[in-house]
Amino acid sequence: MTTDLQIQVIYPDKDLSDFVESFWMLANSSNTDKDISTLPDGRIDIIFSYSDTEPFNAMLMDLDRNCSSVIFTARTFSFAVSFKLLAVEYILDTSIANQGNLPVFLPNNFWDIKQSDLNPFETFVKKISEQIKSILQHKKIESRKKKLFDLIYSSNGAMTVKDLSDKSNWSSREINRYFHKYIGISLKEYCTILRFQSSLPDIKKGKLYPEQNFTDQAHFIKAIKKHSGLTPKELNKNENDRFVQFLILPKK
């Protein structure tokens, strides 16, 4: 399957790194539909796509809690920006709490991105980056929120809620109220997703034991199975190369 799928990733410059995790492009340039699966990664995506049978469109994707399987149709091209959670409030100015794991179609002229802006990929990244910087120049980011998310991402979700609360000077009750308002899940659940995601490179390398602050092997297996539907051993096999994220992870 990987022969016909092309994937490319560009990471943001420092000015955007608090809000943007990456920009990516996924293309099926073949004439055959592909079965692919995505795993929870703690990101919120805006995807611009088109195909031979579908017109250009833009969608806001919900935060994935579990593995999702889709048919990536032939001659489909997708270009996306993957956001960290601060972007929901400060860039997107919305809430995904009640999105229900369904895409929200955005206006055709969203951020003034047209199909002609997608190729080459670097042009898309540059234009999206300029749009985001334009939005941010009018925003003042609350310091305790920035501190909280710095801690969450730098620890890959391994810090306890209490430690995150203490170090960000923000009560756990207020933090969870914020998470439920904008994201729809608790801080603890989100940190579990990040720990799952940060375990994927080790799982791909065949390291099937916890290395991301899981309590023990049983809790590790339970968490991996909750978010992927598979045990670490089954996930490592990646049958038919169906997990898209594995395409950009380091090789064994």
Side-chain angles (χ1 to χ4, degrees):
M1 186 187 79
T2 56
T3 303
D4 295 321
L5 284 182
Q6 296 86 46
I7 187 167
Q8 186 176 353
V9 178
I10 294 177
Y11 294 98
D13 59 35
K14 188 176 180 180
D15 292 342
L16 296 181
S17 60
D18 287 332
F19 304 91
V20 177
E21 193 277 336
S22 63
F23 304 90
W24 54 268
M25 179 277 293
L26 180 66
N28 178 8
S29 56
S30 75
N31 294 317
T32 305
D33 295 346
K34 305 295 179 183
D35 293 316
I36 64 172
S37 297
T38 59
L39 296 165
D41 55 19
R43 309 180 307 193
I44 293 100
D45 298 326
I46 289 183
I47 302 176
F48 301 85
S49 65
Y50 66 93
S51 71
D52 287 353
T53 58
E54 295 291 334
F56 173 73
N57 64 78
M59 296 180 292
L60 170 63
M61 309 301 292
D62 195 7
L63 181 74
D64 284 334
R65 277 73 155 176
N66 302 294
C67 175
S68 299
S69 297
V70 297
I71 301 297
F72 196 49
T73 56
R75 305 294 301 166
T76 293
F77 304 86
S78 296
F79 297 74
V81 51
S82 290
F83 291 107
K84 297 179 179 179
L85 293 196
L86 263 183
V88 177
E89 177 185 4
Y90 288 103
I91 295 176
L92 304 178
D93 191 24
T94 189
S95 168
I96 61 169
N98 299 312
Q99 193 164 321
N101 205 31
L102 296 172
V104 172
F105 284 90
L106 301 172
N108 290 335
N109 62 344
F110 184 76
W111 282 354
D112 195 34
I113 299 295
K114 302 178 289 294
Q115 183 172 330
S116 58
D117 295 318
L118 303 183
N119 286 296
F121 180 43
E122 290 76 10
T123 298
F124 167 76
V125 171
K126 181 179 179 180
K127 186 162 185 178
I128 289 288
S129 297
E130 289 171 350
Q131 290 283 2
I132 295 172
K133 288 177 181 178
S134 176
I135 294 170
L136 287 174
Q137 71 179 346
H138 304 297
K139 303 290 179 69
K140 183 177 181 180
I141 314 304
E142 192 173 343
S143 60
R144 64 179 182 174
K145 293 176 182 176
K146 184 180 185 305
K147 179 65 173 179
L148 173 69
F149 285 105
D150 282 345
L151 292 168
I152 291 172
Y153 291 117
S154 63
S155 67
N156 290 320
M159 293 180 66
T160 66
V161 173
K162 184 180 185 304
D163 284 344
L164 289 169
S165 172
D166 291 344
K167 292 182 180 297
S168 64
N169 196 30
W170 197 5
S171 76
S172 58
R173 178 178 294 182
E174 290 178 314
I175 292 172
N176 276 309
R177 187 180 299 125
Y178 180 88
F179 265 74
H180 281 290
K181 176 182 178 180
Y182 285 101
I183 312 301
I185 61 174
S186 68
L187 169 59
K188 183 177 181 179
E189 185 176 352
Y190 182 69
C191 286
T192 301
I193 291 173
L194 285 188
R195 282 189 290 151
F196 165 80
Q197 190 275 336
S198 65
S199 297
L200 294 181
D202 288 333
I203 291 173
K204 182 177 180 180
K205 294 174 183 177
K207 298 179 181 179
L208 307 180
Y209 296 88
E211 298 192 17
Q212 298 296 334
N213 200 34
F214 289 96
T215 306
D216 53 32
Q217 180 71 1
H219 283 86
F220 174 64
I221 293 174
K222 183 178 179 180
I224 299 304
K225 197 162 186 178
K226 174 183 177 181
H227 294 300
S228 70
L230 302 171
T231 65
K233 185 176 181 179
E234 291 169 334
L235 190 56
N236 167 263
K237 291 180 180 179
N238 190 21
E239 291 185 356
N240 300 317
D241 290 334
R242 67 188 180 98
F243 294 109
V244 175
Q245 283 103 321
F246 275 42
L247 299 181
I248 59 174
L249 292 175
K251 295 183 178 179
K252 296 180 183 180

